[in-house]
Amino acid sequence: MNAADFSTNRHSANVQMAMHMASKHTDLCFNDGNIVLLAGMSYFLVHQGLLARHSEVLDELMRSIDNTPTLEDRPVLTLPDSSTDVALFLKAMYDGISFVTYNSEGFPTLSGLLRMLTKYKVHHLRNDILRGLSNYWPTTLAQWDTREASVTGQDGTYTPRDSLPHPIEIINLAREIDYLLLLPSAMYDLTRSTPSEAAIGFVSPFTGVNVRLEYADLLTVLKGREQASRFFSTFIVNNLEGRQPSQWCLRRKDGHPVNKRTCQIAFEAITFELLRDINGIISNRTSDPLYAMAEAEQMQIRDDLLNSEVSPMKTCEHCRVEFGAVVDAAKEDFWKKLPKWFDIDVSPWG
């Protein structure tokens, strides 16, 4: 971006009219400020040195203006942004980003600020916000597991939409600010919705805007969803169907034929449960291979809470640990494949 991208300040009738109608911002105006930023129906009396220090774009623009027109005897730089976005931008530069939140309610503020910080190349504040955002749309599986735990209630119910921005919002923002590292986890998140939900989009409860994906991204998400589903099907076939107990199985030497097959029966029961996806329906996490693979291990240590009996899916410690290693490896492999499935070239990943 350069000065040519902005309309000139010099003797423009529109600028003169905007100056006449604009109101002085109630907070971001300083008596010792030496330049006026005019945006929408507001103007801001701020410090040229501070702006130039943090933004090379603003530095270039301020160097390009002459001393006319003036407002409060200071030169005026007209910005083609809304007064709300400029106010957020200036607040971040003067006060820092402590007011930024990463939940769904705070997303309109966060996204507007990120667009401004990207546009005007304020790199350090942009990077600080992206680090916070990346805690919820991460590049590593460990961070993803932490994120998932943070939006799971004590009763096991999974409710990310109550607290986190919708993944469609994250995908669109990542494209707009050209920060592709957010895309694989956001697209995976969206694959856990039905194809129709992904296509229709959603109405933001905070802005009332119907938010949808670009057609190309929608196709990418649907293709990635199919790849994830195939991976999970292969995982069941290769690691659960007909799975034999560990060679160190504690029940292998049991004299009773049924007891001797307890772990093998447990694996058969787990396979059946995964195919039914009952736990996914109960916890609101259907079509979620990472969760389902982890559940295949967790089923082995739970009692049957409904009947207060020993669960038919409980294996011995040796069988569980051996299968747990298989699950961990499969989850890591799944995670590493996400960028390829969604046709995103990002590095580092995982």
Side-chain angles (χ1 to χ4, degrees), residues 131-157:
R131 275 192 291 270
L133 197 58
S134 295
N135 288 328
Y136 303 98
W137 313 96
T139 60
T140 70
L141 178 59
Q143 288 175 307
W144 178 260
D145 287 341
T146 299
R147 178 254 206 200
E148 295 292 84
S150 73
V151 289
T152 302
Q154 292 184 346
D155 62 352
T157 303

Side-chain angles (χ1 to χ4, degrees), residues 7-16 19 34-36 38 48 61-78:
S7 59
T8 178
N9 288 316
R10 295 174 177 84
H11 313 294
S12 164
N14 291 336
V15 171
Q16 293 289 349
M19 288 169 54
N34 57 1
I35 190 169
V36 168
L38 179 64
Q48 184 169 348
L61 291 170
M62 290 184 294
R63 291 176 186 273
S64 71
I65 64 173
D66 55 28
N67 292 324
T68 57
T70 63
L71 188 59
E72 295 197 20
D73 296 323
R74 278 87 164 184
V76 176
L77 174 62
T78 304

Side-chain angles (χ1 to χ4, degrees), residues 83-296:
S83 57
T84 300
D85 284 347
V86 172
L88 286 173
F89 177 67
L90 293 174
K91 180 177 176 62
M93 289 214 282
Y94 275 95
D95 300 337
I97 60 169
S98 59
F99 66 92
V100 173
T101 58
Y102 299 92
N103 55 20
S104 53
E105 186 174 359
F107 184 77
T109 295
L110 178 149
S111 58
L113 179 56
L114 261 180
R115 292 183 186 100
M116 290 291 287
L117 295 173
T118 300
K119 178 178 181 178
Y120 291 102
K121 298 184 180 180
V122 184
H123 301 300
H124 67 291
L125 293 179
R126 178 181 187 270
N127 291 339
D128 287 345
I129 293 177
L130 288 174
R131 275 192 291 270
L133 197 58
S134 295
N135 288 328
Y136 303 98
W137 313 96
T139 60
T140 70
L141 178 59
Q143 288 175 307
W144 178 260
D145 287 341
T146 299
R147 178 254 206 200
E148 295 292 84
S150 73
V151 289
T152 302
Q154 292 184 346
D155 62 352
T157 303
Y158 181 65
T159 55
R161 302 295 176 263
D162 293 345
S163 56
L164 296 178
H166 197 283
I168 291 179
E169 292 179 303
I170 299 297
I171 293 168
N172 289 343
L173 176 63
R175 291 295 192 193
E176 197 168 347
I177 65 173
D178 194 27
Y179 190 72
L180 302 187
L181 282 172
L182 296 173
L183 286 176
S185 58
M187 286 185 168
Y188 173 62
D189 190 1
L190 187 57
T191 64
R192 302 180 298 176
S193 303
T194 65
S196 61
E197 289 171 336
I200 293 171
F202 79 107
V203 176
S204 169
F206 305 105
T207 64
V209 174
N210 184 23
V211 185
R212 302 178 68 175
L213 284 181
E214 294 291 334
Y215 183 69
D217 278 333
L218 175 60
L219 288 183
T220 296
V221 167
L222 295 179
K223 291 176 182 177
R225 188 180 196 273
E226 180 64 23
Q227 295 279 8
S229 178
R230 289 178 181 176
F231 183 101
F232 183 54
S233 298
T234 302
F235 169 82
I236 292 177
V237 170
N238 291 344
N239 299 297
L240 270 173
E241 285 187 357
R243 185 178 183 84
Q244 296 299 309
S246 167
Q247 61 177 316
W248 297 285
C249 178
L250 299 177
R251 293 158 177 160
R252 184 178 290 275
K253 296 181 180 179
D254 195 302
H256 195 286
V258 175
N259 292 343
K260 188 174 183 178
R261 295 187 64 252
T262 297
C263 289
Q264 184 174 350
I265 293 171
F267 285 125
E268 292 171 356
I270 291 168
T271 303
F272 181 64
E273 284 300 305
L274 286 185
L275 294 175
R276 294 171 65 206
D277 201 18
I278 295 300
N279 285 344
I281 295 172
I282 294 174
S283 65
N284 192 29
R285 295 177 72 168
T286 56
S287 303
D288 188 345
L290 283 173
Y291 167 75
M293 287 186 285
E295 269 293 284

